[in-house]
Amino acid sequence: MPVGSAARLFAADLQLAGRVLKSRAYFGPHPTNLNRREEFRPAYGEYLAARAAGGAALVVTEVASVSREDWPYEYAPLLPAAASSLAATASAVRGEGSLLVAGIGHAGGQGSSAHSQQVLWAPSPFAETTTNELSAELEEEAIEAIIADFATAAASAVAAGCDGVELNAGQFSLIRQFLSPLTNQRGDRWGEDRALFASAVLEAVRRSVAGGVVGMRLCIDELAPWAGILPPRAAEIFADLADRVDYLVLERGSIYTHHATCPDFHAGTAFLDEALAEFKATCPLATPLALVDGRVTVREAEEMLATGEVQLAELTRALIADPEALARLAAGGSERPCVACNQGCQVRDPRNPVVTCAFNPDAGHEAEAKMRDGVARGRARDSRPAELLVAGGGLAGMEAALHATRLGIRVRLYEASGQAGGELALLAGHGPNPRLARLLEYYLSALATAKVEVRLSHPLTSSDLLAAAEAGNPVVVATGGLYLPRPSNLARLTENAPVGSPRVVGAAQALREPPQTGCKVVLFDPTGGPWAMNTVDALLTAGVSLALVTPDRLPGSQLALTGDLVPAAQRLARAGVPCFTDTTVAGLTSGGVSIEERFGPGRRTLEAEVVVDCSPAVAAGGWPEHRLIRPAGDALAPRGWQAAVLDARRAVATLTAEVADGGL
Amino acid sequence: MAAFKRLFSPIEIGRMHLENRIVFSAHLTNFAVDGLPTTAHAAYYEARARGGAGLIITEEHSVHPSDWPYEKMIHGFRPEVLVGYRQITRAVHRHPAKVIAQINHNGPQASSMYSRLPVLGPSQVPDPLFREVPKEAGAADLAEVVRGYQLVAARAIEGGFDGVELQCSHSSIVRAFLSPASNQREDGYGGDLWGRSRLMREIVTGVRQAIGPDPALGVRLSGDEMIEGGTGLQEAVELARMLEAEGGIDYINTSIGVATASLYTIEASMSFSPGYALFIASAIRKAVNLPVVGVGRIKDPLQAEKALAAGHCDLVGMVRAQIADPDLAAKARTGRTRDIRLCLSCNQECVGRVGMNRWLGCIENPSAGRESLVPRAPVLRASAPKVAVIGAGPAGCQAAIALSRAGASVALVEAAEQLGGQLALAGRVASRAEFWDLVRNQRNELAALGIEPELGRAVGPDDLGLLGADAVVVATGSRDVTPGWAMEDGVRRMRIVSARQLMTRSLGLPSGAKAVVYDEVGFHQATSAAELLWEMGAEVHFATPLLVAGQDLGITLDYETFRMRAAAHGVEFHTALIATGAGARSATFVNHLDGGEFELEADLLVLSLHATADDSLYKVARSSGIPALRIGDALSPRRAHAAIIEGNLAPERVAELLQAARP
Ligand SMILES: Cc1cc2nc3c(=O)[nH]c(=O)nc-3n(C[C@H](O)[C@H](O)[C@H](O)COP(=O)(O)O)c2cc1C
Ligand code: SF4
Ligand code: SF4
């Protein structure tokens, strides 16, 4: 019986509809793009089963549409059309002793017409926030039909072997749209009693799942105080439904605040505490509860359970990041913590990215990972390399080292600087996300536990690498990227710059040594990504006087998926940062930079002492060509966390095979 | 036929014979599923072959697993594609047309999102759209890429294609090597044009070797990348000369722009002049003897014939023209030019959908991209009901057309004196004038079906019965509402009009008047209003709660050109503002990002807000038991494509209603 520091999580003392949960861990519904409209695919089953095997007791599928006209994103599953393939998913999860519950819903006016080619239906018309598409008011017959659809979908899920259903009345849901005066201004019975639809759906679903589990995801606060649902109202609503609900998940956010429901680290943790207190003041809760409130690690979940505040631990992102987190913690180790960055797990995007994790790229790709590691393990058994050398102690280097030790390979890691962690350590130390420090801690302690020999302040030369490879020891080169003058970045401008021109530094340099308080800084961002915004946050904390220049139409243009797009714009506006969009930096002047608006009349000058260039780094290259030498991460091409970790794992596998082949 | 003598004269491309000069040039469709071509491809290309196109060039096929820039790309590098290849070529070859496969590696203009591999490029210069630092391709990488081209070219020929086109023009590793903006190499693959073109030359030689002498081999070149330091016309002409001198290819196709940085020039919207990129083909054709394809917003056979007559090109690429009307060539050949459904160059459902990873469609041709679906049955033929369509905007006209085709007897009535509804207004600024072609197309289609719209007849709630119809289709559009904030005690204190009212051009405005456009919708309504205002001599401020002014103009590739025109007219943009009031001489706002208050002086306030569906007749009909349907804005005010789709589906819906109404 695993216990350790996750004792409460592992308590198997909670029952839902007569079914005993093996733990308190809840893995919630989220889009994955692993399925198809009418098919739950095997890869999805593997994805869920890995989390179930890792300890999740209650697993909920991606929310399936209950009506054909509701097609909120291309790969949103549809029930009952996809029910036959759901059976395999159910047995994969139930095979691990966990419950599988089907998430079911209808996105209403928050859907998309792109695939259905039909109008969006809502209680009352409103404009969908991303596309600005206006919905149409549902007619009486159509409302009745949707209620029936809920019942049919629920029945099909149970028939496919699910333990029940979870009704979505939270974000992206028609049920919430009916509940809220923000989206329901009807004059008929569905408007006079806004809870009538929710109640009718629940009643119909309850009847159709018989003794199965019925969970409900409910919006506790629409964050639209002028008309939306507030916690006391949410409590009143739930009070009337509670007798038919086996468990409750509370989340926040509504039509204007998609980004606030499952936000990134900027939103902090435990952000529903006040709302929950208000909720409980109105309706004392007897139903087992989970909260989507920014607590994203097993450690936080354990603490939350300890307070008795919740009975179920919402561990969705925690288990995407580390499916084995529970087991690891129970065994006295430490979890590989989710850092709430939202840079891999948020996939509600027309490009249909597959769900994954910025720091665990095997998530969503379980089969590939299993195959890669299985083969590597086999090869290592045949002919284990004496030792793996890792040059560079950043994320890619640390990951390569750890991954090799998992295959039983001895590792020595050399880092040129005095500190391991590379850019992860840099951002952990100077960036806005405090969770990165915990991830770094995990790596450092895991390296120690795995007895990886870490040599700091010890750069390796090309000949060191070659010598190791010649001796049959494989090498991973993970020396990262550098900010060097290139025609494609701003450092090139320093060449013929006039006297008194501002200093040009890369983003990493700006984080390492932030300019002094009050220093005039112009930040140039051609990426629109999280790195640049982290740098902005750090510079604002350092108290510089900042201006932002970007060739994009808006700052942080690529942040829609992390949910930080609007919050970042708010932070910039509140800090009074002038933002020059559709603009490039044309040159340096004495005491400033000359900028050029893409559509504007001409150039103008901004005062600056320092220019921070967020253009990406370049791979420095220069490692020797050898069968046993592999680059990983930014050393290959500067891309990001996910590529660093994936490269590292693949490099180790490839090198293991190379050693084994060479030994033949 | 005599009218388009050149267009319908045959031509030999290497050893390939073409019946005429009309080319359906390459374009992404997003019809692929799990990397393989589908029956949607076969049916789509066959429709254009049946419609008389001389040459069809398929969308690109990836030659290597390191190239997977968008989800629904065809994986030419996987042998399983052969099944789909054969399906496509067999379908096209049922007609006189020839079909060529475009093969490509996008190089740095790509993403690792799907491949989970670094993208490849000549140098570590990230593409401005994809923003990934490429891996600098080494000798081994390049050899593998060339090998990929050879394998996939050979596979295409095995699959029945008549030839292969190498896309070296706007999104390609070859382009990246050719362009000084992305190629900073110092080895044999960089430096002068000879060095930068080495990869292209290796690929041409390799591919010719792989496919043998018979199949056609073409190269597509960009004549101007429209980026700083990119390839320009002179180099493009030089390249064409070089290609001809080196031998191995049979034709040159042309294009303009870079797919990522200057996409708006490749598939230019209606704000560009027709044939805007022909200068490229023209310059290249003067320098080489190889046949040259000219492209770029050539919408009708007359423009195409003229391009040939002027000697600009030997063949004419007509992509969107044939998306909108697959039968364009046949109609032109038989003198039925009035029947051609002219493309609007609106980009809304072709480029706009494809850019969003959705199947390619067309605003006015609801069958585009759906050619493989079972053909619709004339569901009303047996009952031949009388159907009254009320409102002759795009929804109503389309419904009348579809109903008539399905066997109904149709009466189309319209309150205004003209057809088109809001379309008639949308075309009233110069940059959007071709939107009127949609009205023209529908009018001609109605006429061909013998439907005579009854104009100037307003239908009131009591008139429904008088129509004597078995069913009514309500397509009465929408109306504007003045929001509460714009009034004080229910009274307007300043001149306030809707964008739509403004577009009627009935409004007088003193020159130099201050006008504020307030836009909650984010599309062309407000930007066209701004354009009309500056034409009228007003000083224009543009305010919007959105974070980007005119945000959805990006979808139709009109963002850049609109912003350029607006800048030239001194328009000032103010984003993140929610309107709070309209006083006698100014409008007030609150910034939703920082809570700050903001005020703009104004003599006139123009509102582009969501309208309200005008469905009162629908409700009357329902309550009096008349089978009724509401479509288009009368259902919910949206964009024109929705109106057309719903109009097009009217027969099935009417059939259901009549079925249900039967005692
Ligand atoms: C949706 C769409 C996708 C396109 N994709 C490609 C492509 O993959 N390869 C290519 O060479 N050209 C591509 N093009 C460019 C077309 O071949 C053609 O040059 C362009 O549409 C201008 O011609 P038109 O005005 O007749 O449409 C594309 C065009 C469209 C409309
Ligand atoms: S991508 Fe970030 S937020 Fe998502 S699971 Fe991974 S670490 Fe957590
Ligand atoms: S959507 Fe517009 S631009 Fe595209 S083919 Fe149709 S009419 Fe032409």
Side-chain angles (χ1 to χ4, degrees):
Chain A
M1 187 78 219
V3 276
S5 48
R8 283 188 185 78
L9 261 165
F10 271 101
D13 55 357
L14 187 66
Q15 290 193 13
L16 296 180
R19 294 156 170 83
V20 180
L21 298 190
K22 69 176 182 182
S23 75
R24 297 297 187 97
Y26 166 88
F27 190 65
H30 52 284
T32 64
N33 291 329
L34 284 168
N35 298 312
R36 292 298 177 264
R37 181 68 168 160
E38 302 197 0
E39 183 192 4
F40 285 95
R41 288 197 156 178
Y44 184 61
E46 286 155 21
Y47 171 72
L48 293 188
R51 275 75 203 169
L58 179 56
V59 176
V60 190
T61 71
E62 175 159 7
V63 175
S65 302
V66 299
S67 306
R68 203 162 271 277
E69 77 263 5
D70 176 48
W71 197 334
Y73 52 97
E74 186 170 10
Y75 298 146
L78 173 67
L79 281 175
S84 59
S85 55
L86 184 55
T89 315
S91 62
V93 172
R94 303 188 81 233
E96 300 294 344
S98 310
L99 306 194
L100 183 70
V101 154
I104 58 173
H106 189 304
Q110 293 179 286
S112 162
S113 63
H115 304 285
S116 69
Q117 301 272 281
Q118 289 191 37
V119 73
L120 302 176
W121 293 104
S124 303
F126 65 90
E128 199 281 320
T129 323
T130 318
T131 58
N132 253 315
E133 182 160 331
L134 198 67
S135 39
E137 182 176 293
L138 276 165
E139 293 177 277
E140 175 76 25
E141 307 90 309
I143 295 173
E144 296 287 2
I146 293 172
I147 294 167
D149 287 343
F150 267 102
T152 312
S156 77
V158 172
C162 288
D163 291 284
V165 296
E166 180 179 300
L167 276 181
N168 184 22
Q171 188 53 276
F172 299 116
S173 85
L174 181 63
I175 300 179
R176 193 206 69 247
Q177 290 155 28
F178 266 100
L179 288 171
S180 170
L182 192 64
T183 39
N184 181 354
Q185 295 108 33
R186 302 176 70 99
D188 61 5
R189 59 186 180 124
W190 306 102
E192 271 156 30
D193 174 8
R194 293 196 178 89
L196 182 59
F197 181 72
S199 175
V201 168
L202 183 58
E203 194 60 47
V205 165
R206 204 4 121 203
R207 228 177 299 126
S208 87
V209 304
V213 175
V214 175
M216 181 170 234
R217 180 165 286 250
L218 185 67
C219 175
I220 186 174
D221 185 348
E222 288 194 292
L223 305 176
W226 63 92
I229 299 168
L230 289 167
R233 177 62 197 141
E236 282 168 24
I237 292 167
F238 187 68
D240 290 337
L241 305 174
D243 60 335
R244 288 161 287 175
V245 176
D246 296 309
Y247 71 92
L248 174 68
V249 182
L250 289 171
E251 65 179 25
R252 69 178 190 184
S254 166
I255 53 175
Y256 302 116
T257 43
H258 301 159
H259 56 271
T261 302
C262 182
D264 79 359
F265 64 89
H266 287 96
T269 55
F271 53 68
L272 290 185
D273 278 3
E274 264 177 52
L276 186 63
E278 285 182 65
F279 184 102
K280 283 185 170 163
T282 309
C283 164
L285 259 178
T287 314
L289 175 72
L291 288 176
V292 185
D293 72 346
R295 284 183 268 199
V296 293
T297 62
V298 173
R299 194 193 308 194
E300 287 162 291
E302 181 68 19
E303 286 163 13
M304 213 189 325
L305 287 168
T307 63
E309 211 179 329
V310 298
Q311 292 69 44
L312 281 167
E314 210 287 344
L315 286 172
T316 311
R317 283 184 286 178
L319 296 178
I320 296 175
D322 184 2
E324 281 136 39
L326 279 173
R328 259 201 260 268
L329 216 68
S334 59
E335 66 177 315
R336 195 171 185 287
C338 163
V339 299
C341 67
N342 282 355
Q343 288 177 41
C345 55
Q346 306 297 314
V347 298
R348 207 181 171 102
D349 181 284
R351 290 169 296 175
N352 302 337
V354 162
V355 70
T356 190
C357 167
F359 294 92
N360 174 23
D362 292 346
H365 300 271
E366 278 69 23
E368 181 195 321
K370 209 169 175 179
M371 167 97 93
R372 177 196 66 212
D373 296 343
V375 170
R377 204 162 281 128
R379 304 311 297 269
R381 214 179 298 122
D382 299 343
S383 163
R384 195 187 309 281
E387 184 176 63
L388 175 85
L389 217 66
V390 178
L395 181 61
M398 295 191 297
E399 181 64 34
L402 275 184
H403 201 68
T405 61
R406 281 179 217 134
L407 301 176
I409 301 168
R410 192 150 57 86
V411 183
R412 263 189 299 157
L413 186 151
Y414 292 85
E415 163 61 37
S417 78
Q419 190 194 5
E423 293 198 337
L424 179 60
L426 182 62
L427 213 53
H430 303 272
N433 186 355
R435 292 182 180 276
L436 289 175
R438 296 207 211 144
L439 182 62
L440 180 63
E441 257 168 53
Y442 158 78
Y443 268 108
L444 296 179
S445 75
L447 286 170
T449 311
K451 305 213 164 43
V452 171
E453 192 182 328
V454 179
R455 300 253 181 102
L456 299 176
S457 308
H458 199 311
L460 292 181
T461 64
S462 220
S463 44
D464 293 337
L465 304 183
L466 205 54
E470 289 296 333
N473 289 323
V475 180
V476 174
V477 181
T479 44
L482 288 171
Y483 181 75
L484 299 170
R486 280 287 186 275
S488 48
N489 66 26
L490 295 189
R492 72 176 193 279
L493 301 177
T494 51
E495 221 164 84
N496 298 311
V499 184
S501 294
R503 219 153 39 91
V504 178
V505 299
Q509 176 68 17
L511 278 173
R512 200 170 295 124
E513 291 161 28
Q516 278 166 5
T517 308
C519 176
K520 292 195 185 75
V521 176
V522 168
L523 179 134
F524 174 67
D525 178 23
T527 68
W531 244 103
M533 207 45 77
N534 283 329
T535 311
V536 167
D537 288 329
L539 289 171
L540 289 177
T541 307
V544 308
S545 157
L546 190 66
L548 187 148
V549 176
T550 174
D552 288 333
R553 293 165 199 185
L554 76 172
S557 65
Q558 311 297 303
L559 296 178
L561 274 186
T562 68
D564 194 35
L565 189 118
V566 173
Q570 286 168 342
R571 293 196 300 279
L572 285 164
R574 285 176 192 151
V577 176
C579 293
F580 301 88
T581 52
D582 283 316
T583 302
T584 53
V585 172
L588 303 180
T589 64
S590 180
V593 293
S594 155
I595 60 169
E596 189 164 5
E597 280 176 69
R598 195 168 170 212
F599 310 117
R603 294 189 176 183
R604 64 165 126 176
T605 309
L606 296 181
E607 271 187 63
E609 295 162 73
V610 177
V611 175
V612 175
D613 180 12
C614 295
S615 299
V618 289
W623 63 87
E625 293 270 340
H626 193 283
R627 190 173 70 83
L628 292 185
I629 302 180
R630 291 278 154 166
D634 286 7
L636 176 59
R639 286 150 298 161
W641 308 128
Q642 203 176 312
V645 175
L646 184 58
D647 282 1
R649 292 179 184 176
R650 284 178 175 168
V652 169
T654 314
L655 286 169
T656 312
E658 284 287 348
V659 169
D661 290 346
L664 286 177
Chain B
M1 185 176 203
F4 307 115
K5 203 173 67 213
R6 292 179 182 81
L7 199 54
F8 292 100
S9 62
I11 184 172
E12 309 301 315
I13 305 291
R15 302 182 186 181
M16 176 176 71
H17 173 84
L18 299 183
E19 284 291 304
N20 63 50
R21 309 299 180 98
I22 299 176
V23 181
F24 196 39
S25 229
H27 54 285
L28 317 179
T29 64
N30 284 334
F31 298 161
V33 173
D34 292 332
L36 302 178
T38 59
T39 51
H41 282 107
Y44 176 73
Y45 295 129
E46 182 176 10
R48 277 73 196 172
R50 188 188 302 116
L55 173 64
I56 284 162
I57 306 174
T58 68
E59 70 179 286
E60 61 178 0
H61 312 213
S62 169
V63 299
H64 193 263
S66 59
D67 183 39
W68 190 353
Y70 47 91
E71 191 194 15
K72 290 154 190 150
M73 186 185 213
I74 297 177
H75 294 173
F77 53 83
R78 278 163 52 195
E80 310 97 279
V81 294
L82 262 177
V83 181
Y85 284 5
R86 295 214 171 95
Q87 225 177 8
I88 292 171
T89 55
R90 242 181 260 137
V92 172
H93 286 152
R94 281 196 274 269
H95 311 276
K98 296 293 191 315
V99 59
I100 275 181
Q102 187 180 71
I103 64 173
N104 191 29
H105 188 298
N106 286 270
Q109 290 168 281
S111 163
S112 58
M113 182 178 273
Y114 312 105
S115 69
R116 309 222 296 157
L117 295 167
V119 300
L120 283 181
S123 307
Q124 295 188 53
V125 179
D127 174 76
L129 184 86
F130 286 103
R131 301 167 189 224
E132 285 190 33
V133 180
K135 175 189 177 212
E136 191 173 305
D141 295 319
L142 293 176
E144 230 184 279
V145 167
V146 175
R147 186 85 198 112
Y149 272 93
Q150 290 182 295
L151 283 173
V152 175
R155 185 168 298 140
I157 302 306
E158 194 190 340
F161 284 101
D162 299 296
V164 165
E165 179 175 285
L166 311 174
Q167 197 257 83
C168 308
S169 42
H170 42 255
S171 179
S172 156
I173 194 164
V174 181
R175 181 210 67 77
F177 270 81
L178 288 173
S179 174
S182 41
N183 185 343
Q184 295 155 5
R185 295 172 80 100
E186 285 164 6
D187 63 1
Y189 289 95
D192 60 9
L193 193 61
W194 184 250
R196 281 182 274 124
S197 65
R198 176 169 162 190
L199 180 63
M200 179 177 80
R201 288 180 284 110
E202 287 180 359
I203 291 170
V204 168
T205 311
V207 167
R208 181 48 92 190
Q209 250 171 21
I211 61 176
D214 289 336
L217 175 58
V219 164
R220 191 168 201 191
L221 293 176
S222 174
D224 190 339
E225 293 191 315
M226 308 288 291
I227 52 170
E228 218 182 293
T231 302
L233 185 58
Q234 219 179 338
E235 282 210 342
V237 171
E238 238 0 87
L239 280 168
R241 278 210 188 91
M242 194 188 288
L243 281 165
E244 185 168 60
E246 295 276 302
I249 69 162
D250 302 310
Y251 75 94
I252 291 178
N253 195 350
T254 57
S255 121
I256 186 169
V258 181
T260 41
S262 45
L263 183 68
Y264 70 99
T265 63
I266 301 178
E267 308 139 357
S269 81
M270 62 181 88
S271 72
F272 280 60
S273 49
Y276 68 98
L278 278 174
F279 73 97
I280 293 166
S282 195
I284 290 179
R285 188 165 183 265
K286 285 196 185 78
V288 298
N289 291 314
L290 290 170
V292 177
V293 188
V295 299
R297 230 165 85 63
I298 298 170
K299 298 200 339 177
D300 67 41
L302 189 59
Q303 290 168 351
E305 179 74 12
K306 278 186 174 166
L308 294 171
H312 293 318
C313 50
D314 304 284
L315 297 127
V316 188
M318 300 178 82
V319 175
R320 287 168 294 174
Q322 296 182 86
I323 295 175
D325 191 343
D327 298 318
L328 174 137
K331 288 175 180 170
R333 191 164 44 79
T334 53
R336 290 178 293 140
T337 46
R338 248 180 78 105
D339 292 348
I340 294 176
R341 188 194 298 119
L342 291 175
C343 161
L344 319 175
S345 301
C346 68
N347 282 344
Q348 226 170 283
E349 300 300 296
C350 55
V351 174
R353 283 186 62 88
V354 168
M356 301 278 274
N357 191 21
R358 291 161 185 156
W359 84 76
L360 171 138
C362 171
I363 195 169
E364 54 174 353
N365 173 11
S367 311
R370 318 301 274 162
E371 289 82 357
S372 61
L373 303 184
V374 187
R376 296 164 69 188
V379 287
L380 300 172
R381 183 139 308 155
S383 54
K386 279 177 72 179
V387 182
V389 178
I390 309 171
C397 288
Q398 194 68 30
I401 293 165
L403 287 162
S404 166
R405 289 235 162 87
S409 134
V410 178
L412 175 61
V413 293
E414 163 61 47
E417 294 297 338
Q418 63 194 21
L419 294 185
Q422 287 185 75
L423 296 177
L425 302 178
R428 288 206 174 181
V429 287
S431 66
R432 302 287 293 161
E434 282 178 44
F435 230 94
W436 277 338
D437 280 340
L438 182 42
V439 187
R440 168 223 176 253
N441 294 342
Q442 289 190 321
R443 191 202 301 117
N444 289 350
E445 211 166 342
L446 287 167
L449 291 166
I451 302 170
E452 228 177 277
E454 194 181 335
L455 298 175
R457 175 167 178 200
V459 177
D462 304 330
D463 308 334
L464 277 178
L466 302 176
L467 293 170
D470 300 312
V472 296
V473 175
V474 178
T476 43
S478 57
R479 59 194 147 71
D480 297 318
V481 270
T482 308
W485 60 259
M487 295 181 285
E488 275 173 31
D489 306 321
V491 191
R492 300 167 191 218
R493 302 221 19 232
M494 76 153 87
R495 228 169 139 195
I496 300 175
V497 297
S498 68
R500 186 172 350 185
Q501 276 171 297
L502 181 79
M503 296 304 274
T504 62
R505 281 185 177 266
S506 55
L507 197 78
L509 202 63
S511 177
K514 289 193 170 71
V516 171
V517 176
Y518 177 67
D519 178 27
E520 288 187 351
V521 181
F523 208 42
H524 284 280
Q525 294 88 337
T527 53
S528 289
E531 188 152 351
L532 186 56
L533 287 167
W534 78 57
E535 263 180 39
M536 291 164 79
E539 180 190 317
V540 183
H541 286 260
F542 192 107
T544 175
L546 303 172
L547 296 183
V548 176
Q551 68 171 24
D552 288 351
L553 264 55
I555 295 174
T556 63
L557 308 184
D558 284 299
Y559 180 79
E560 287 87 353
T561 46
F562 168 73
R563 290 298 299 259
M564 285 176 212
R565 290 195 304 276
H569 290 89
V571 176
E572 286 195 37
F573 292 95
H574 313 275
T575 55
L577 295 183
I578 297 175
T580 50
R585 298 252 13 209
S586 71
T588 52
F589 306 89
V590 61
N591 183 312
H592 63 76
L593 295 177
D594 61 13
E597 288 177 9
F598 193 78
E599 185 165 1
L600 284 171
E601 251 184 78
D603 303 309
L604 170 71
L605 181 60
V606 180
L607 300 179
S608 164
L609 310 175
H610 284 286
T612 298
D614 198 345
D615 59 358
S616 51
L617 289 179
Y618 169 78
K619 288 185 172 142
V620 172
R622 290 228 27 186
S623 62
S624 41
I626 304 173
L629 178 66
R630 56 184 168 162
I631 58 173
D633 277 13
L635 173 58
S636 174
R638 288 150 302 155
R639 296 176 184 167
H641 73 281
I644 304 265
I645 289 170
E646 283 155 14
N648 193 50
L649 288 176
E652 284 78 5
R653 299 288 316 281
V654 165
E656 278 166 30
L657 287 170
L658 292 176
Q659 182 77 33
R662 200 163 297 156

